[in-house]
Amino acid sequence: MSLPSIVRLAWQMPLLLALTSCSVSGDGLAPALPDERLALAAPPAAHSAAQAEDDRIFRETRRLVGTPRWTLATSDADLHPAAFLSHYSCAVGFTLDLAKAPHLARIMTIIAKAETPRTSEEKHYWKRARPFIGNDAPICVARSPELSKSPSYPSGHTIAGYSTALVLSALMPERAAPILQRGRVIGESRIVCGVHWASDVAAGYQAAGAFAVALLEDPLLRALMPQARQELRKMAAESSPPDPALCALEADAAAHSPFNQP
């Protein structure tokens, strides 16, 4: 995949490019991931009942502009590596600092390197327009040309967030439930933000699960996991607790899924 093609993926560009300073050992090849163009169902057809439901959820979530949930969705849009990992601080119970976890940083590099081209294939295969195209409804990020040109299905942020949650769950199985809940909320933030349809996010969870199966069996990742686990244990013993107000906001978001709103 060419560098211009990668750069066009605004949803994951900060994570991928900022992590390239962390070298990948071995042959440097990213793990082979399944082709979700075969595994995923096509996105909802125009005028279908499924598309009508996507439309309804998009309209309903525009009412969240200016609320704390909107603020969280805006924060969750940040895929820069340190911020991206810190999204899971409340879930793990301590403040995550990527600078203190070089092996975990390498794992994140490998994940981004593997997922970026696969997700690009999927997006450009279905070429689904994002929900804010053709209207002036508010979204929680800038309406950039790059974002507008990036197809909507499946959600790349959701794939990045939920597959990372699955890997973190493997590293900290005792915290798996809250970590996976936070991964779900990161995906739902894309709905709240107005940059993805609900069905984009649902497909992102499915793709992330398939990707994580392959990632967790990759020999290089498996070799890095014990060191990453030790880094997290050391951080847990030395780091400060996360902000209680932020944790309360994340818990409230988890309890009010846009999928379940009338």
Side-chain angles (χ1 to χ4, degrees):
M1 184 179 183
S2 65
L3 181 59
S5 297
I6 294 175
V7 172
R8 283 196 297 269
L9 297 178
W11 52 268
Q12 205 170 22
M13 180 179 68
L15 178 63
L16 180 66
L17 297 184
L19 281 169
T20 52
S21 60
C22 305
S23 62
V24 178
S25 64
D27 57 14
L29 298 176
L33 300 182
D35 188 347
E36 291 300 291
R37 293 174 296 182
L38 302 177
L40 292 176
H47 312 299
S48 66
Q51 182 59 56
E53 179 65 2
D54 270 354
D55 290 335
R56 184 194 66 78
I57 293 173
F58 176 70
R59 290 192 303 270
E60 290 294 322
T61 50
R62 296 317 86 215
R63 300 178 183 179
L64 295 171
V65 175
T67 65
R69 183 64 183 92
W70 188 265
T71 301
L72 180 62
T74 304
S75 174
D76 284 348
D78 188 350
L79 280 177
H80 287 84
F84 184 69
L85 185 64
S86 73
H87 294 330
Y88 296 92
S89 292
C90 292
V92 300
F94 56 90
T95 301
L96 287 164
D97 184 350
L98 189 65
K100 297 178 180 179
H103 292 89
L104 180 56
R106 289 184 67 197
I107 289 173
M108 292 174 66
T109 303
I110 295 167
I111 292 173
K113 184 177 180 181
E115 289 181 344
T116 296
R118 270 302 189 206
T119 306
S120 177
E121 288 173 346
E122 295 159 15
K123 285 174 170 285
H124 289 280
Y125 178 73
W126 279 293
K127 298 182 176 67
R128 190 185 196 189
R130 291 184 183 257
F132 62 85
I133 300 297
N135 59 70
D136 60 357
I139 63 174
C140 80
V141 295
R143 288 175 174 253
S144 67
E146 292 79 14
L147 181 62
S148 297
K149 292 176 183 177
S150 174
S152 196
Y153 184 89
S155 165
H157 267 74
T158 302
I159 291 173
Y162 205 71
S163 60
T164 299
L166 288 162
V167 172
L168 285 173
S169 296
L171 291 168
M172 300 184 66
E174 71 281 6
R175 300 292 298 178
I179 290 170
L180 293 172
Q181 182 185 71
R182 186 66 179 101
R184 169 174 65 83
V185 169
I186 287 174
E188 291 174 347
S189 284
R190 305 307 284 165
I191 303 170
V192 172
C193 194
V195 294
H196 277 291
W197 304 103
S199 56
D200 299 338
V201 170
Y205 295 141
Q206 180 181 335
F211 289 169
V213 170
L215 289 166
L216 290 171
E217 288 300 315
D218 179 74
L220 177 54
L221 278 176
R222 289 172 66 88
L224 291 168
M225 294 286 275
Q227 295 98 320
R229 188 173 291 111
Q230 288 301 317
E231 290 167 349
L232 289 169
R233 287 175 178 168
K234 188 172 188 292
M235 231 185 292
E238 299 175 355
S239 296
S240 59
D243 178 7
L246 175 60
C247 296
L249 175 57
E250 292 177 3
D252 185 71
H256 296 92
S257 169
F259 287 103
N260 298 334
Q261 300 307 302

Short mmCIF file of all heavy atoms in Angstrom, two decimals, residues 91-156:
data_model
loop_
_atom_site.label_atom_id
_atom_site.label_comp_id
_atom_site.label_asym_id
_atom_site.label_seq_id
_atom_site.Cartn_x
_atom_site.Cartn_y
_atom_site.Cartn_z
N ALA A 91 -10.60 2.15 32.67
CA ALA A 91 -10.92 0.72 32.52
C ALA A 91 -9.91 -0.17 33.24
O ALA A 91 -10.27 -1.20 33.81
CB ALA A 91 -11.00 0.35 31.05
N VAL A 92 -8.64 0.22 33.20
CA VAL A 92 -7.61 -0.61 33.86
C VAL A 92 -7.43 -0.24 35.32
O VAL A 92 -6.87 -1.01 36.10
CB VAL A 92 -6.25 -0.53 33.12
CG1 VAL A 92 -6.39 -1.02 31.69
CG2 VAL A 92 -5.66 0.87 33.16
N GLY A 93 -7.87 0.98 35.70
CA GLY A 93 -7.80 1.38 37.09
C GLY A 93 -6.59 2.20 37.47
O GLY A 93 -6.39 2.51 38.66
N PHE A 94 -5.79 2.60 36.51
CA PHE A 94 -4.63 3.46 36.77
C PHE A 94 -4.31 4.25 35.50
O PHE A 94 -4.79 3.92 34.42
CB PHE A 94 -3.41 2.64 37.21
CG PHE A 94 -3.00 1.56 36.25
CD1 PHE A 94 -2.08 1.80 35.22
CD2 PHE A 94 -3.51 0.27 36.37
CE1 PHE A 94 -1.70 0.81 34.34
CE2 PHE A 94 -3.14 -0.74 35.48
CZ PHE A 94 -2.23 -0.47 34.47
N THR A 95 -3.52 5.31 35.65
CA THR A 95 -3.21 6.18 34.52
C THR A 95 -2.21 5.51 33.60
O THR A 95 -1.08 5.20 34.02
CB THR A 95 -2.67 7.53 35.02
OG1 THR A 95 -3.66 8.14 35.86
CG2 THR A 95 -2.34 8.44 33.85
N LEU A 96 -2.61 5.31 32.36
CA LEU A 96 -1.73 4.68 31.37
C LEU A 96 -0.83 5.71 30.72
O LEU A 96 -1.27 6.78 30.31
CB LEU A 96 -2.58 3.98 30.30
CG LEU A 96 -3.28 2.70 30.75
CD1 LEU A 96 -4.39 2.31 29.77
CD2 LEU A 96 -2.28 1.56 30.89
N ASP A 97 0.45 5.37 30.63
CA ASP A 97 1.45 6.27 30.05
C ASP A 97 2.25 5.48 29.04
O ASP A 97 3.07 4.61 29.40
CB ASP A 97 2.36 6.82 31.15
CG ASP A 97 3.38 7.83 30.64
OD1 ASP A 97 3.50 7.98 29.41
OD2 ASP A 97 4.05 8.46 31.47
N LEU A 98 2.03 5.76 27.76
CA LEU A 98 2.69 4.99 26.70
C LEU A 98 4.21 5.10 26.77
O LEU A 98 4.92 4.17 26.41
CB LEU A 98 2.20 5.46 25.33
CG LEU A 98 2.62 4.63 24.13
CD1 LEU A 98 2.02 3.23 24.20
CD2 LEU A 98 2.20 5.30 22.82
N ALA A 99 4.72 6.24 27.27
CA ALA A 99 6.17 6.44 27.35
C ALA A 99 6.83 5.43 28.30
O ALA A 99 8.02 5.16 28.19
CB ALA A 99 6.48 7.86 27.81
N LYS A 100 6.04 4.87 29.21
CA LYS A 100 6.57 3.90 30.16
C LYS A 100 6.35 2.46 29.71
O LYS A 100 6.62 1.53 30.47
CB LYS A 100 5.91 4.11 31.53
CG LYS A 100 6.20 5.47 32.15
CD LYS A 100 5.48 5.62 33.47
CE LYS A 100 5.75 6.99 34.11
NZ LYS A 100 5.02 7.15 35.39
N ALA A 101 5.89 2.28 28.48
CA ALA A 101 5.57 0.93 28.00
C ALA A 101 6.06 0.74 26.57
O ALA A 101 5.27 0.64 25.63
CB ALA A 101 4.07 0.70 28.10
N PRO A 102 7.38 0.65 26.36
CA PRO A 102 7.90 0.54 24.99
C PRO A 102 7.47 -0.75 24.28
O PRO A 102 7.27 -0.73 23.06
CB PRO A 102 9.42 0.60 25.18
CG PRO A 102 9.65 0.23 26.62
CD PRO A 102 8.46 0.74 27.36
N HIS A 103 7.32 -1.83 25.01
CA HIS A 103 6.88 -3.07 24.36
C HIS A 103 5.41 -2.98 23.96
O HIS A 103 5.03 -3.46 22.88
CB HIS A 103 7.12 -4.27 25.28
CG HIS A 103 8.57 -4.57 25.50
ND1 HIS A 103 9.28 -4.00 26.53
CD2 HIS A 103 9.44 -5.36 24.81
CE1 HIS A 103 10.54 -4.42 26.48
NE2 HIS A 103 10.66 -5.25 25.45
N LEU A 104 4.60 -2.36 24.79
CA LEU A 104 3.21 -2.15 24.43
C LEU A 104 3.12 -1.19 23.23
O LEU A 104 2.28 -1.38 22.35
CB LEU A 104 2.44 -1.59 25.62
CG LEU A 104 0.95 -1.31 25.41
CD1 LEU A 104 0.22 -2.57 24.93
CD2 LEU A 104 0.32 -0.77 26.68
N ALA A 105 4.01 -0.20 23.19
CA ALA A 105 4.03 0.72 22.05
C ALA A 105 4.35 -0.04 20.76
O ALA A 105 3.77 0.24 19.71
CB ALA A 105 5.06 1.82 22.28
N ARG A 106 5.25 -1.01 20.83
CA ARG A 106 5.57 -1.80 19.64
C ARG A 106 4.38 -2.65 19.22
O ARG A 106 4.11 -2.83 18.03
CB ARG A 106 6.79 -2.69 19.92
CG ARG A 106 8.10 -1.90 20.01
CD ARG A 106 9.29 -2.82 20.18
NE ARG A 106 9.49 -3.63 18.99
CZ ARG A 106 10.24 -4.74 18.97
NH1 ARG A 106 10.79 -5.19 20.08
NH2 ARG A 106 10.40 -5.40 17.86
N ILE A 107 3.65 -3.17 20.19
CA ILE A 107 2.44 -3.94 19.87
C ILE A 107 1.44 -3.05 19.14
O ILE A 107 0.85 -3.45 18.12
CB ILE A 107 1.82 -4.53 21.14
CG1 ILE A 107 2.71 -5.67 21.68
CG2 ILE A 107 0.40 -5.05 20.89
CD1 ILE A 107 2.29 -6.21 23.03
N MET A 108 1.27 -1.83 19.62
CA MET A 108 0.35 -0.90 18.97
C MET A 108 0.81 -0.55 17.56
O MET A 108 -0.01 -0.39 16.65
CB MET A 108 0.20 0.37 19.82
CG MET A 108 -0.51 0.13 21.14
SD MET A 108 -0.55 1.59 22.21
CE MET A 108 -1.59 2.69 21.25
N THR A 109 2.12 -0.45 17.37
CA THR A 109 2.67 -0.20 16.04
C THR A 109 2.29 -1.32 15.08
O THR A 109 1.85 -1.09 13.95
CB THR A 109 4.20 -0.10 16.09
OG1 THR A 109 4.58 0.92 17.01
CG2 THR A 109 4.79 0.20 14.73
N ILE A 110 2.49 -2.54 15.53
CA ILE A 110 2.21 -3.71 14.68
C ILE A 110 0.72 -3.78 14.36
O ILE A 110 0.33 -4.07 13.22
CB ILE A 110 2.69 -5.00 15.39
CG1 ILE A 110 4.21 -4.97 15.54
CG2 ILE A 110 2.26 -6.24 14.60
CD1 ILE A 110 4.75 -6.03 16.49
N ILE A 111 -0.12 -3.50 15.35
CA ILE A 111 -1.56 -3.52 15.11
C ILE A 111 -1.93 -2.51 14.05
O ILE A 111 -2.67 -2.81 13.10
CB ILE A 111 -2.32 -3.26 16.43
CG1 ILE A 111 -2.14 -4.43 17.40
CG2 ILE A 111 -3.80 -3.03 16.15
CD1 ILE A 111 -2.72 -4.18 18.77
N ALA A 112 -1.44 -1.28 14.20
CA ALA A 112 -1.77 -0.23 13.23
C ALA A 112 -1.25 -0.58 11.84
O ALA A 112 -1.95 -0.38 10.84
CB ALA A 112 -1.17 1.11 13.69
N LYS A 113 -0.04 -1.12 11.77
CA LYS A 113 0.54 -1.48 10.48
C LYS A 113 -0.27 -2.57 9.79
O LYS A 113 -0.42 -2.56 8.55
CB LYS A 113 1.99 -1.95 10.68
CG LYS A 113 2.74 -2.26 9.39
CD LYS A 113 4.17 -2.64 9.69
CE LYS A 113 4.93 -2.96 8.40
NZ LYS A 113 6.33 -3.36 8.68
N ALA A 114 -0.81 -3.49 10.57
CA ALA A 114 -1.59 -4.58 9.99
C ALA A 114 -3.00 -4.13 9.61
O ALA A 114 -3.52 -4.49 8.56
CB ALA A 114 -1.66 -5.75 10.97
N GLU A 115 -3.63 -3.33 10.48
CA GLU A 115 -5.03 -3.00 10.28
C GLU A 115 -5.26 -1.92 9.23
O GLU A 115 -6.31 -1.92 8.57
CB GLU A 115 -5.65 -2.56 11.60
CG GLU A 115 -5.84 -3.69 12.58
CD GLU A 115 -6.49 -3.26 13.87
OE1 GLU A 115 -6.53 -2.04 14.15
OE2 GLU A 115 -6.95 -4.15 14.62
N THR A 116 -4.32 -1.00 9.08
CA THR A 116 -4.54 0.13 8.18
C THR A 116 -4.85 -0.30 6.75
O THR A 116 -5.87 0.12 6.19
CB THR A 116 -3.33 1.08 8.21
OG1 THR A 116 -3.23 1.64 9.51
CG2 THR A 116 -3.48 2.20 7.20
N PRO A 117 -4.03 -1.13 6.10
CA PRO A 117 -4.35 -1.50 4.72
C PRO A 117 -5.61 -2.35 4.60
O PRO A 117 -6.38 -2.21 3.65
CB PRO A 117 -3.11 -2.26 4.24
CG PRO A 117 -2.43 -2.71 5.49
CD PRO A 117 -2.72 -1.67 6.51
N ARG A 118 -5.84 -3.25 5.57
CA ARG A 118 -7.04 -4.08 5.52
C ARG A 118 -8.30 -3.22 5.62
O ARG A 118 -9.27 -3.40 4.87
CB ARG A 118 -7.02 -5.11 6.65
CG ARG A 118 -6.38 -6.43 6.31
CD ARG A 118 -7.06 -7.07 5.12
NE ARG A 118 -6.62 -8.42 4.90
CZ ARG A 118 -6.65 -9.01 3.72
NH1 ARG A 118 -7.09 -8.35 2.65
NH2 ARG A 118 -6.25 -10.25 3.58
N THR A 119 -8.30 -2.29 6.56
CA THR A 119 -9.48 -1.44 6.73
C THR A 119 -9.68 -0.55 5.52
O THR A 119 -10.82 -0.29 5.10
CB THR A 119 -9.34 -0.60 8.00
OG1 THR A 119 -9.08 -1.47 9.11
CG2 THR A 119 -10.60 0.18 8.29
N SER A 120 -8.59 -0.09 4.93
CA SER A 120 -8.70 0.72 3.71
C SER A 120 -9.35 -0.08 2.59
O SER A 120 -10.23 0.43 1.86
CB SER A 120 -7.31 1.19 3.26
OG SER A 120 -7.39 1.91 2.06
N GLU A 121 -8.97 -1.35 2.44
CA GLU A 121 -9.59 -2.20 1.43
C GLU A 121 -11.09 -2.29 1.63
O GLU A 121 -11.87 -2.19 0.67
CB GLU A 121 -8.98 -3.60 1.48
CG GLU A 121 -7.56 -3.70 0.97
CD GLU A 121 -6.97 -5.08 1.21
OE1 GLU A 121 -7.54 -5.86 1.99
OE2 GLU A 121 -5.91 -5.36 0.61
N GLU A 122 -11.47 -2.49 2.88
CA GLU A 122 -12.90 -2.65 3.18
C GLU A 122 -13.66 -1.36 2.89
O GLU A 122 -14.72 -1.37 2.24
CB GLU A 122 -13.07 -3.04 4.66
CG GLU A 122 -12.48 -4.40 4.99
CD GLU A 122 -12.20 -4.57 6.46
OE1 GLU A 122 -12.72 -3.77 7.27
OE2 GLU A 122 -11.46 -5.50 6.83
N LYS A 123 -13.13 -0.25 3.35
CA LYS A 123 -13.80 1.03 3.15
C LYS A 123 -13.98 1.34 1.66
O LYS A 123 -15.06 1.75 1.22
CB LYS A 123 -13.01 2.15 3.82
CG LYS A 123 -13.14 2.20 5.33
CD LYS A 123 -12.20 3.25 5.90
CE LYS A 123 -12.45 3.51 7.37
NZ LYS A 123 -13.67 4.30 7.64
N HIS A 124 -12.92 1.16 0.90
CA HIS A 124 -12.98 1.51 -0.52
C HIS A 124 -13.71 0.45 -1.35
O HIS A 124 -14.09 0.72 -2.49
CB HIS A 124 -11.57 1.77 -1.04
CG HIS A 124 -10.99 3.04 -0.51
ND1 HIS A 124 -11.30 4.28 -1.02
CD2 HIS A 124 -10.15 3.27 0.53
CE1 HIS A 124 -10.67 5.21 -0.34
NE2 HIS A 124 -9.97 4.63 0.61
N TYR A 125 -13.92 -0.70 -0.80
CA TYR A 125 -14.73 -1.72 -1.47
C TYR A 125 -16.20 -1.33 -1.45
O TYR A 125 -16.91 -1.41 -2.46
CB TYR A 125 -14.51 -3.07 -0.78
CG TYR A 125 -15.33 -4.20 -1.35
CD1 TYR A 125 -15.01 -4.76 -2.59
CD2 TYR A 125 -16.41 -4.73 -0.64
CE1 TYR A 125 -15.76 -5.82 -3.10
CE2 TYR A 125 -17.15 -5.77 -1.14
CZ TYR A 125 -16.83 -6.33 -2.37
OH TYR A 125 -17.57 -7.37 -2.87
N TRP A 126 -16.69 -0.88 -0.27
CA TRP A 126 -18.11 -0.54 -0.15
C TRP A 126 -18.40 0.93 -0.48
O TRP A 126 -19.52 1.25 -0.86
CB TRP A 126 -18.63 -0.90 1.24
CG TRP A 126 -18.95 -2.35 1.35
CD1 TRP A 126 -19.94 -3.04 0.70
CD2 TRP A 126 -18.27 -3.33 2.14
NE1 TRP A 126 -19.92 -4.36 1.04
CE2 TRP A 126 -18.91 -4.58 1.94
CE3 TRP A 126 -17.19 -3.29 3.03
CZ2 TRP A 126 -18.51 -5.75 2.57
CZ3 TRP A 126 -16.79 -4.45 3.66
CH2 TRP A 126 -17.44 -5.67 3.43
N LYS A 127 -17.43 1.81 -0.29
CA LYS A 127 -17.57 3.23 -0.68
C LYS A 127 -18.83 3.88 -0.10
O LYS A 127 -19.53 4.63 -0.76
CB LYS A 127 -17.58 3.37 -2.21
CG LYS A 127 -16.31 2.91 -2.90
CD LYS A 127 -16.39 3.14 -4.40
CE LYS A 127 -15.09 2.78 -5.10
NZ LYS A 127 -14.81 1.33 -5.05
N ARG A 128 -19.11 3.60 1.14
CA ARG A 128 -20.30 4.18 1.77
C ARG A 128 -20.02 5.61 2.22
O ARG A 128 -19.00 5.89 2.86
CB ARG A 128 -20.71 3.34 2.98
CG ARG A 128 -22.06 3.73 3.54
CD ARG A 128 -22.40 2.96 4.80
NE ARG A 128 -23.82 3.06 5.11
CZ ARG A 128 -24.36 2.64 6.24
NH1 ARG A 128 -23.59 2.07 7.19
NH2 ARG A 128 -25.65 2.77 6.46
N ALA A 129 -20.91 6.52 1.91
CA ALA A 129 -20.75 7.91 2.32
C ALA A 129 -21.03 8.06 3.82
O ALA A 129 -21.87 7.37 4.40
CB ALA A 129 -21.71 8.80 1.53
N ARG A 130 -20.32 8.97 4.43
CA ARG A 130 -20.52 9.22 5.86
C ARG A 130 -21.84 9.94 6.10
O ARG A 130 -22.37 10.62 5.22
CB ARG A 130 -19.34 10.02 6.41
CG ARG A 130 -18.05 9.20 6.44
CD ARG A 130 -16.91 9.96 7.06
NE ARG A 130 -15.67 9.18 7.02
CZ ARG A 130 -15.15 8.53 8.06
NH1 ARG A 130 -15.77 8.58 9.23
NH2 ARG A 130 -14.03 7.86 7.94
N PRO A 131 -22.38 9.84 7.32
CA PRO A 131 -23.72 10.38 7.59
C PRO A 131 -23.83 11.89 7.48
O PRO A 131 -24.93 12.40 7.26
CB PRO A 131 -24.03 9.89 9.01
CG PRO A 131 -22.72 9.52 9.61
CD PRO A 131 -21.86 9.07 8.48
N PHE A 132 -22.74 12.62 7.62
CA PHE A 132 -22.82 14.07 7.57
C PHE A 132 -22.71 14.62 6.14
O PHE A 132 -22.84 15.83 5.93
CB PHE A 132 -21.72 14.71 8.44
CG PHE A 132 -20.31 14.38 8.01
CD1 PHE A 132 -19.68 15.11 7.02
CD2 PHE A 132 -19.61 13.33 8.60
CE1 PHE A 132 -18.37 14.82 6.64
CE2 PHE A 132 -18.32 13.03 8.22
CZ PHE A 132 -17.70 13.78 7.23
N ILE A 133 -22.49 13.75 5.16
CA ILE A 133 -22.38 14.19 3.77
C ILE A 133 -23.77 14.61 3.26
O ILE A 133 -24.75 13.88 3.41
CB ILE A 133 -21.81 13.08 2.87
CG1 ILE A 133 -20.41 12.67 3.36
CG2 ILE A 133 -21.77 13.53 1.41
CD1 ILE A 133 -19.38 13.76 3.30
N GLY A 134 -23.84 15.79 2.67
CA GLY A 134 -25.10 16.26 2.09
C GLY A 134 -26.02 16.95 3.06
O GLY A 134 -27.18 17.21 2.74
N ASN A 135 -25.54 17.23 4.27
CA ASN A 135 -26.36 17.96 5.24
C ASN A 135 -25.44 18.83 6.09
O ASN A 135 -24.21 18.74 6.00
CB ASN A 135 -27.16 16.99 6.12
CG ASN A 135 -26.27 16.03 6.89
OD1 ASN A 135 -25.57 16.42 7.81
ND2 ASN A 135 -26.29 14.75 6.51
N ASP A 136 -26.03 19.68 6.92
CA ASP A 136 -25.23 20.55 7.79
C ASP A 136 -25.37 20.18 9.26
O ASP A 136 -25.17 21.00 10.15
CB ASP A 136 -25.61 22.01 7.57
CG ASP A 136 -27.08 22.29 7.86
OD1 ASP A 136 -27.81 21.34 8.19
OD2 ASP A 136 -27.48 23.47 7.76
N ALA A 137 -25.70 18.92 9.52
CA ALA A 137 -25.84 18.46 10.90
C ALA A 137 -24.50 18.58 11.62
O ALA A 137 -23.43 18.39 11.02
CB ALA A 137 -26.33 17.02 10.93
N PRO A 138 -24.52 18.88 12.92
CA PRO A 138 -23.26 19.04 13.65
C PRO A 138 -22.52 17.71 13.82
O PRO A 138 -23.14 16.67 14.01
CB PRO A 138 -23.71 19.59 15.00
CG PRO A 138 -25.12 19.11 15.15
CD PRO A 138 -25.70 19.10 13.77
N ILE A 139 -21.20 17.78 13.74
CA ILE A 139 -20.34 16.64 14.07
C ILE A 139 -19.27 17.14 15.04
O ILE A 139 -19.04 18.35 15.14
CB ILE A 139 -19.71 15.98 12.82
CG1 ILE A 139 -18.79 16.96 12.07
CG2 ILE A 139 -20.80 15.47 11.89
CD1 ILE A 139 -18.04 16.33 10.91
N CYS A 140 -18.63 16.23 15.75
CA CYS A 140 -17.75 16.65 16.84
C CYS A 140 -16.31 16.92 16.40
O CYS A 140 -15.48 17.26 17.23
CB CYS A 140 -17.78 15.63 17.98
SG CYS A 140 -16.75 14.17 17.71
N VAL A 141 -16.02 16.76 15.12
CA VAL A 141 -14.69 17.06 14.58
C VAL A 141 -14.87 17.95 13.35
O VAL A 141 -15.99 18.14 12.86
CB VAL A 141 -13.93 15.77 14.20
CG1 VAL A 141 -13.62 14.94 15.43
CG2 VAL A 141 -14.72 14.94 13.19
N ALA A 142 -13.76 18.49 12.85
CA ALA A 142 -13.83 19.35 11.68
C ALA A 142 -14.26 18.57 10.44
O ALA A 142 -13.89 17.40 10.27
CB ALA A 142 -12.46 20.01 11.44
N ARG A 143 -15.03 19.21 9.58
CA ARG A 143 -15.45 18.61 8.31
C ARG A 143 -14.32 18.78 7.29
O ARG A 143 -14.42 19.59 6.37
CB ARG A 143 -16.73 19.25 7.80
CG ARG A 143 -17.99 18.90 8.58
CD ARG A 143 -19.17 19.69 8.06
NE ARG A 143 -20.42 19.28 8.68
CZ ARG A 143 -21.37 18.57 8.08
NH1 ARG A 143 -21.22 18.20 6.82
NH2 ARG A 143 -22.48 18.24 8.73
N SER A 144 -13.27 18.01 7.45
CA SER A 144 -12.12 18.13 6.57
C SER A 144 -12.34 17.37 5.27
O SER A 144 -13.10 16.40 5.23
CB SER A 144 -10.87 17.58 7.26
OG SER A 144 -10.99 16.18 7.44
N PRO A 145 -11.68 17.79 4.19
CA PRO A 145 -11.77 17.04 2.93
C PRO A 145 -11.32 15.59 3.08
O PRO A 145 -11.89 14.68 2.47
CB PRO A 145 -10.86 17.82 1.98
CG PRO A 145 -10.81 19.20 2.55
CD PRO A 145 -10.88 19.03 4.03
N GLU A 146 -10.30 15.38 3.92
CA GLU A 146 -9.79 14.02 4.10
C GLU A 146 -10.86 13.12 4.74
O GLU A 146 -11.04 11.98 4.33
CB GLU A 146 -8.53 14.04 4.98
CG GLU A 146 -7.32 14.69 4.34
CD GLU A 146 -7.37 16.22 4.39
OE1 GLU A 146 -8.20 16.77 5.13
OE2 GLU A 146 -6.57 16.85 3.66
N LEU A 147 -11.53 13.65 5.76
CA LEU A 147 -12.56 12.86 6.42
C LEU A 147 -13.73 12.60 5.46
O LEU A 147 -14.26 11.49 5.40
CB LEU A 147 -13.05 13.58 7.67
CG LEU A 147 -14.13 12.87 8.48
CD1 LEU A 147 -13.62 11.55 9.02
CD2 LEU A 147 -14.61 13.77 9.63
N SER A 148 -14.11 13.61 4.71
CA SER A 148 -15.24 13.46 3.80
C SER A 148 -14.95 12.44 2.71
O SER A 148 -15.86 11.72 2.26
CB SER A 148 -15.58 14.81 3.16
OG SER A 148 -16.00 15.74 4.14
N LYS A 149 -13.69 12.34 2.27
CA LYS A 149 -13.33 11.39 1.22
C LYS A 149 -13.12 9.97 1.74
O LYS A 149 -13.12 9.02 0.95
CB LYS A 149 -12.05 11.87 0.53
CG LYS A 149 -12.21 13.14 -0.29
CD LYS A 149 -10.87 13.59 -0.86
CE LYS A 149 -11.00 14.90 -1.61
NZ LYS A 149 -9.68 15.39 -2.12
N SER A 150 -12.94 9.84 3.06
CA SER A 150 -12.73 8.51 3.64
C SER A 150 -14.07 7.80 3.78
O SER A 150 -14.95 8.28 4.50
CB SER A 150 -12.07 8.64 5.00
OG SER A 150 -11.98 7.39 5.65
N PRO A 151 -14.26 6.65 3.10
CA PRO A 151 -15.56 5.96 3.19
C PRO A 151 -15.89 5.54 4.62
O PRO A 151 -15.01 5.42 5.49
CB PRO A 151 -15.37 4.75 2.28
CG PRO A 151 -14.30 5.17 1.31
CD PRO A 151 -13.37 6.02 2.12
N SER A 152 -17.17 5.29 4.86
CA SER A 152 -17.69 5.17 6.22
C SER A 152 -17.71 3.75 6.77
O SER A 152 -17.68 3.56 7.98
CB SER A 152 -19.11 5.75 6.25
OG SER A 152 -19.55 6.01 7.55
N TYR A 153 -17.79 2.74 5.90
CA TYR A 153 -18.05 1.36 6.35
C TYR A 153 -16.87 0.44 6.07
O TYR A 153 -16.41 0.38 4.92
CB TYR A 153 -19.28 0.84 5.61
CG TYR A 153 -19.75 -0.55 6.03
CD1 TYR A 153 -20.67 -0.70 7.05
CD2 TYR A 153 -19.29 -1.69 5.39
CE1 TYR A 153 -21.12 -1.97 7.42
CE2 TYR A 153 -19.73 -2.95 5.75
CZ TYR A 153 -20.65 -3.07 6.77
OH TYR A 153 -21.09 -4.32 7.14
N PRO A 154 -16.38 -0.23 7.12
CA PRO A 154 -16.70 -0.15 8.54
C PRO A 154 -15.95 0.99 9.21
O PRO A 154 -15.10 1.63 8.58
CB PRO A 154 -16.21 -1.50 9.07
CG PRO A 154 -15.03 -1.82 8.20
CD PRO A 154 -15.39 -1.28 6.83
N SER A 155 -16.22 1.22 10.48
CA SER A 155 -15.57 2.30 11.21
C SER A 155 -14.14 1.93 11.59
O SER A 155 -13.92 0.99 12.36
CB SER A 155 -16.37 2.62 12.48
OG SER A 155 -15.62 3.41 13.37
N GLY A 156 -13.18 2.68 11.07
CA GLY A 156 -11.78 2.41 11.39
C GLY A 156 -11.43 2.71 12.83
O GLY A 156 -10.63 1.99 13.45
#
